[in-house]
Amino acid sequence: MANWISRVAQTCPVHPSLPTPFLQPPLEPDIVVGAATSLSSLAVEAQLLAVMENFGKALAAALTLGFFSMVFVLRWVLRYREGLSWEGGAALFNWHPVLIVSGFIFLTGLAITIYRLPWTGKANYETMKYIHGALHTMAFTYASFAMMAAFGSQSAADFPNMFSLHSWLGLTTFSSFGLLLLVSACIFLLPFTPLSWKTACMPIHGFVGRFLFGSTITVALTGITEKLIFGLSDPKYTDSPSEALFANVMGMLLVGYGAAILWISTRPAWKRTSEFTLPGGVEDKVK
């Protein structure tokens, strides 16, 4: 140690008042590597916390918009329309928008984001697939009752079905969603489906699912507009009565909910880390 200090003192200019004990030998390599690793871990942890904080804000915004969308649709049919009833008439039809918004749209949004939730990161992937599928099945069930309410009430009132763009788009989206649900269950839930099929179908599954989610909201907006045009006579929709303004705000809430869900589901930083880890592309934990 004394020899090392004397060599450093000879090669490095040191102020005369600086005592030699201030000269310390260099740190051992393993200490330097350990310190660097700790700093790197802290940086990664801080980055993950920042990412999760942003995710929490986006999720809170989405849930808030979805919740108020459900509140608004209930308030709409209970205050401005004829209420809710399964006995027939206009009250039967009012189940259609309520079930579409509170069941079909809201539950589909939850199903899309289920893999992004932080507390599901360590959950078994197989379990998350079944939860994802169950939420979509519930959403499709709500939509089925909504379709029954629409067709049943209009047929009882001798009102024509399937003449408007809303009805065409609605039936197409509903049928496509049911087909996607059936095909996805066969491909991703059956244990004997080849991994290569799952790998090839996963990007298509994600794209079609998001597309149908956006289509459902679009169809809902056309339905709201159609109902206001046919349902408001004195004052008319063009006179901007309170019901029209209320329904327009509800439509904006639906658009906001859809945008928040699609934003969450397409952010790479919020994707489940083990979702695409196998060499084939898609993680498959079916044993």
Side-chain angles (χ1 to χ4, degrees), residues 48-90:
L48 289 176
L49 290 175
V51 169
M52 287 299 101
E53 181 181 359
N54 293 332
F55 175 85
K57 294 178 181 178
L59 181 63
L63 294 179
T64 300
L65 292 168
F67 172 77
F68 278 105
S69 297
M70 293 187 291
V71 172
F72 266 63
V73 72
L74 279 173
R75 183 64 172 170
W76 182 36
V77 300
L78 293 178
R79 178 182 177 182
Y80 295 101
R81 298 285 99 192
E82 299 79 7
L84 295 170
S85 174
W86 288 105
E87 300 299 326

Side-chain angles (χ1 to χ4, degrees), residues 250-267:
M250 179 176 63
M252 296 297 293
L253 290 173
L254 287 174
V255 172
Y257 176 67
I261 293 297
L262 293 177
W263 173 257
I264 291 173
S265 66
T266 54
R267 291 284 292 172

Side-chain angles (χ1 to χ4, degrees), residues 202-266:
M202 178 58 76
I204 302 174
H205 172 79
F207 170 78
V208 175
R210 294 185 183 97
F211 175 78
L212 290 179
F213 174 69
S215 299
T216 303
I217 294 178
T218 302
V219 174
L221 297 179
T222 62
I224 294 171
T225 303
E226 181 180 298
K227 185 64 176 178
L228 292 175
I229 291 176
F230 284 105
L232 294 177
S233 57
D234 188 20
K236 298 180 180 180
Y237 185 28
T238 54
D239 297 327
S240 298
S242 61
E243 180 181 356
L245 298 177
F246 187 88
N248 288 346
V249 172
M250 179 176 63
M252 296 297 293
L253 290 173
L254 287 174
V255 172
Y257 176 67
I261 293 297
L262 293 177
W263 173 257
I264 291 173
S265 66
T266 54

Side-chain angles (χ1 to χ4, degrees), residues 87-134:
E87 300 299 326
L92 172 61
F93 178 86
N94 290 340
W95 278 109
H96 180 74
V98 170
L99 293 176
I100 289 295
V101 173
S102 63
F104 198 21
I105 294 176
F106 185 74
L107 289 180
T108 301
L110 291 183
I112 291 175
T113 59
I114 191 68
Y115 289 112
R116 274 36 178 198
L117 300 179
W119 50 86
T120 65
K122 295 183 180 180
N124 182 271
Y125 188 66
E126 187 74 6
T127 302
M128 299 312 302
K129 285 198 299 184
Y130 280 103
I131 295 176
H132 177 76

